C-alpha cells in the first residue's frame, strides 16, 4: 500500500511520511527494524469452538476492513447467541471434574502458557502485521509494544500457575480449617479493538493460570489476531474447550455472553456505557462475577519545577499514542501558569512534526482511526472545542485523501466546563489547561466521573507524594506516563470500572475462596 498523500491544509506533519527517515526507533537502527509481511495470507476466519473451526449457525459473516484504505481484508464468521451457547457448552465440558484440564497439574497449566508464549514469539512478525492491518495501528508499535507485552503477560501468569494457594486457619474448637483458591468456572471475556492481541493475553492468561475455561469475543473490527491466537492455543496443547473464540457484534454475541446463565464470570474492556449494560445483564441473569475496565478522562499535572522537555514529551506520547485510542490517554493536561505558554508552544511543535501515513511503512508515527463512527465522534468533539471558545493551536481537520486520518490536534485555553475537557474523545486531541496552586489542581483533576489513570510531573518528592495520594485514580505515574508492566495491577476508580487486571491482584478476579472445616478428635496448637 502506498503512503497517504498530504492535503493542503497546512501543518508541518503534512506530507512528511515519504521524506522522514529517523535513524533510530527505541535505540534500534532503522536498517535493522522489522518490516511487515507483505500481503499476508489470512488463514483463520471461522469460529473456534472445542479446538475446532466452525461456520456460524446463522451463516452470517463480518466484513473486516483496513482503516488505512477502506478496503475489505476478508470476512469472518459472525457468532450470535446460538454460537455462544455452543462455545459455553464446550467450555463447561472442559471444566467438568475429571476432565483433562481439571486433572492437570497446576504446573502443567504454567507449561502450556509458556509454550503459547514461545509460539507467539515465533509468529511475532505475522501477528504484528495483522494488528496493523485491521486496526490501523502503527506496525512498529504493534511489534515492539503490543506483541512484547503479550509474550510477557503469558510468561508472567505461566509462572503464577503453581503458586496460587490457600491458608490454614487456627479456628476455635476441635476443628482443622483451611482455604482453597479454586477457579471460578466458565469465564466470558469481551475485548476491545484498540489493543486486540494484548487484550487477548490480558484476559486469557490470568483466567487459564487459575484453571478456568474461557469464551472470548474479540471486537468485530479486529478479530484477526484473536483467531490466529486460537490456532496457536490448539498448537500449544491446550485441551479442547478450554479456550473458545467467537467473533461477533456486541448487541448479539456480547449480549449473549453477558446474559448467559452458564457463564460464571464476565470480564470486559471498553466503554463505560457498555460496561453498565454488562453489569445490568449480570444482575438480570445469574449474578455472575463482573470485572470492568472502562473509560477515562485522565489528568496529567505538570508543575513548574519539572523537567519541562521531558514533561512535554511524556504528555505528548501519553495522549497521541495509538492515535489517541487509549483508555489511559492523558487527555486533560494541567500546566502550572508560569510555564503554560512555553509548554503549549513546545507541545504544538511536537504535534505538528508528527508523521501520518500508512502504518505499515517505516517512519510513520500515526495511522488512521479505527472506523467511521469513531472518526465522526472525534471530529464532532473537535468542532465543539472550537465553538465553546478553546484556542485551536494546530490540527483540527481530517488529513489525506483516503482513510480515517485526523491531524494531531492541540487546544489551549481549555476550561473545565467544555465538552473536550469532560468527555472521553478517544482520538489525537490534546487539551491543555492552566492552574495556579496545588489544592486547586487536585480538586479539578478529581472533578470527573472517571478515575483510571493520572500523571504528575515535578522534581519535588513531597509534592509528588502529596498529589499522587490525593488523586482519585487506579494508577498514578510520577515523572513518566504509560509505564505499564505485567507485574503491576491495572484498573480504575469510580466509573472507570471495577476489579484489577495484571499483577498478582488479577488472580483474585479469577478465583473463588473455599473454606473447608474438618472435625477432629483433638487439636494440637
Amino acid at each position: 500500500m502506498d503512503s497517504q498523500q498530504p492535503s493542503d491544509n497546512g501543518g508541518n506533519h503534512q506530507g512528511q511520511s515519504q521524506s522522514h527517515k529517523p535513524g533510530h526507533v527505541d535505540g534500534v537502527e532503522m536498517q535493522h527494524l522489522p518490516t511487515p509481511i507483505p500481503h499476508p495470507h489470512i488463514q483463520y476466519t471461522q469460529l473456534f469452538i472445542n479446538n475446532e473451526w466452525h461456520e456460524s449457525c446463522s451463516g452470517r459473516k463480518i466484513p473486516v476492513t483496513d482503516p488505512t484504505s477502506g478496503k475489505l481484508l476478508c470476512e469472518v464468521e459472525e457468532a450470535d447467541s446460538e454460537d455462544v451457547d455452543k462455545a459455553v457448552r464446550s467450555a463447561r465440558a472442559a471444566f467438568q471434574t475429571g476432565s483433562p484440564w481439571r486433572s492437570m497439574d497446576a504446573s502443567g497449566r504454567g507449561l502450556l502458557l509458556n509454550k503459547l508464549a514461545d509460539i507467539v514469539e515465533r509468529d511475532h512478525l505475522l501477528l504484528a502485521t495483522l494488528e496493523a492491518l485491521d486496526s490501523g495501528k502503527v506496525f512498529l508499535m504493534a511489534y515492539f509494544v503490543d506483541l512484547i507485552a503479550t509474550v510477557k503477560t503469558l510468561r508472567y501468569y505461566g509462572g503464577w500457575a503453581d503458586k496460587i494457594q490457600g491458608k490454614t486457619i487456627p479456628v476455635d474448637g476441635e476443628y482443622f480449617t483451611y482455604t482453597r483458591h479454586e477457579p471460578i468456572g466458565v469465564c466470558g471475556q469481551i475485548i476491545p479493538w484498540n489493543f486486540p492481541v494484548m487484550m487477548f493475553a490480558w484476559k486469557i492468561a490470568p483466567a487459564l493460570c487459575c484453571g478456568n475455561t474461557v469464551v472470548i469475543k474479540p471486537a468485530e473490527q479486529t478479530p484477526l489476531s484473536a483467531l490466529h491466537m486460537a490456532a496457536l492455543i490448539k498448537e500449544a496443547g491446550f485441551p479442547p474447550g478450554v479456550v473458545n473464540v467467537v467473533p461477533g457484534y456486541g448487541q448479539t454475541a456480547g449480549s449473549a455472553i453477558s446474559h448467559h446463565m452458564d457463564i460464571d464470570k464476565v470480564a470486559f474492556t471498553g466503554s463505560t456505557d457498555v460496561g453498565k449494560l454488562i453489569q445490568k445483564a449480570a444482575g438480570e441473569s445469574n449474578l455472575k462475577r463482573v470485572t470492568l475496565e472502562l473509560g477515562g478522562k485522565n489528568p496529567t499535572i505538570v508543575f513548574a519545577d519539572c523537567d519541562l522537555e521531558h514533561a512535554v514529551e511524556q504528555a505528548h506520547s501519553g495522549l497521541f499514542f495509538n492515535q489517541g485510542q487509549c483508555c489511559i490517554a492523558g487527555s486533560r493536561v494541567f500546566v502550572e501558569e508560569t510555564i503554560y505558554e512555553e509548554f503549549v508552544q513546545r507541545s504544538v511543535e511536537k504535534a505538528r512534526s508528527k508523521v501520518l501515513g500508512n502504518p505499515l511503512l517505516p517512519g510513520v508515527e500515526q495511522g488512521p482511526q479505527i472506523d467511521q463512527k469513531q472518526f465522526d465522534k472525534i471530529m464532532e468533539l473537535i468542532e465543539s472545542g472550537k465553538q465553546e471558545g478553546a484556542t485551536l493551536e494546530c490540527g483540527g481537520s481530517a488529513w489525506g485523501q483516503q482513510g480515517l486520518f485526523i491531524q494531531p490536534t492541540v487546544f489551549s485555553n481549555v476550561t473545565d466546563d467544555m465538552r473536550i475537557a469532560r468527555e472521553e474523545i478517544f482520538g489525537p486531541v490534546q487539551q491543555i489547561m492552566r492552574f495556579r496552586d496545588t489544592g486547586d489542581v487536585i480538586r479539578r483533576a478529581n472533578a470527573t466521573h472517571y478515575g483510571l489513570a493520572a500523571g504528575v510531573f515535578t522534581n519535588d518528592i513531597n509534592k509528588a507524594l502529596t498529589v499522587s495520594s490525593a488523586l482519585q485514580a487506579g494508577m498514578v505515574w510520577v515523572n513518566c506516563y504509560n509505564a505499564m508492566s505485567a507485574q503491576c495491577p491495572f484498573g480504575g476508580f469510580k466509573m472507570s470500572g471495577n476489579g484489577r487486571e495484571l499483577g498478582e491482584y488479577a488472580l483474585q478476579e479469577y478465583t473463588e475462596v473455599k473454606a473447608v472445616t474438618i472435625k477432629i478428635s483433638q487439636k494440637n496448637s
Side-chain angles (χ1 to χ4, degrees), residues 129-152:
T129 303
L130 294 175
E131 288 289 85
L133 276 176
D134 68 0
S135 75
K137 183 186 296 288
V138 172
F139 165 77
L140 289 177
M141 292 301 101
Y143 190 94
F144 284 114
V145 178
D146 298 38
L147 264 298
I148 287 176
T150 296
V151 170
K152 286 184 175 181

Side-chain angles (χ1 to χ4, degrees), residues 19-305:
S19 61
H20 183 78
K21 294 183 174 65
H24 296 77
V25 174
D26 290 337
V28 183
E29 292 187 10
M30 178 63 76
Q31 60 264 33
H32 296 141
L33 289 176
T35 56
I37 297 172
H39 311 294
H41 173 59
I42 299 172
Q43 184 174 358
Y44 305 108
T45 60
Q46 295 182 302
L47 311 181
F48 184 77
I49 299 173
N50 206 43
N51 275 13
E52 298 173 340
W53 298 103
H54 296 256
E55 294 182 352
S56 63
C57 295
S58 68
R60 291 192 299 269
K61 298 180 187 297
I62 300 171
V64 181
T65 59
D66 174 1
T68 302
S69 65
K71 294 179 181 178
L72 181 71
L73 293 169
C74 66
E75 292 182 327
V76 303
E77 298 292 328
E78 178 196 336
D80 60 15
S81 58
E82 192 174 351
D83 302 293
V84 169
D85 282 342
K86 285 174 59 177
V88 172
R89 287 196 297 271
S90 170
R92 180 58 64 190
F95 191 72
Q96 291 302 310
T97 301
S99 71
W101 181 242
R102 293 301 301 278
S103 302
M104 185 181 296
D105 288 339
S107 60
R109 298 198 300 268
L111 289 172
L112 286 177
L113 283 166
N114 276 292
K115 178 69 180 296
L116 179 58
D118 291 340
I119 305 173
V120 170
E121 283 188 320
R122 182 198 69 195
D123 287 3
H124 193 142
L125 189 62
L126 175 58
L127 282 163
T129 303
L130 294 175
E131 288 289 85
L133 276 176
D134 68 0
S135 75
K137 183 186 296 288
V138 172
F139 165 77
L140 289 177
M141 292 301 101
Y143 190 94
F144 284 114
V145 178
D146 298 38
L147 264 298
I148 287 176
T150 296
V151 170
K152 286 184 175 181
T153 301
L154 293 171
R155 294 205 191 287
Y156 176 79
Y157 284 107
W160 263 114
D162 59 358
K163 301 168 187 66
I164 300 167
Q165 53 201 16
K167 301 177 180 180
T168 59
I169 303 172
V171 299
D172 293 348
E174 303 298 317
Y175 303 101
F176 172 66
T177 297
Y178 64 94
T179 58
R180 287 170 47 88
H181 291 198
E182 299 184 353
I184 295 173
V186 177
C187 297
Q189 301 180 320
I190 303 172
I191 58 175
W193 45 259
N194 54 342
F195 294 93
V197 72
M198 190 174 81
M199 290 292 106
F200 188 94
W202 280 27
K203 290 291 188 288
I204 69 160
L208 300 180
C209 158
C210 296
N212 299 280
T213 59
V214 167
V215 176
I216 186 166
K217 187 195 88 66
E220 64 270 19
Q221 299 95 330
T222 55
L224 300 184
S225 58
L227 291 172
H228 191 85
M229 288 291 289
L232 302 190
I233 284 166
K234 181 177 181 178
E235 181 182 348
F238 284 87
V242 173
V243 178
N244 306 272
V245 183
V246 286
Y249 293 98
Q251 300 94 322
T252 51
S255 178
I257 289 171
S258 304
H259 285 90
H260 207 287
M261 292 297 293
D262 203 27
I263 287 180
D264 303 298
K265 183 253 169 66
V266 63
F268 170 73
T269 297
S271 72
T272 296
D273 287 344
V274 175
K276 290 180 180 179
L277 295 175
I278 289 171
Q279 187 131 343
K280 181 180 179 184
E284 290 174 346
S285 54
N286 61 343
L287 283 175
K288 56 178 63 67
R289 295 263 298 272
V290 178
T291 55
L292 302 170
E293 195 277 284
L294 307 176
K297 193 66 179 174
N298 309 294
T300 299
I301 301 173
V302 182
F303 288 96
D305 62 5

Side-chain angles (χ1 to χ4, degrees), residues 498-510:
N498 54 57
R500 290 295 180 270
E501 297 191 293
L502 300 182
E504 183 179 0
Y505 289 88
L507 303 177
Q508 301 171 16
E509 312 296 345
Y510 287 98

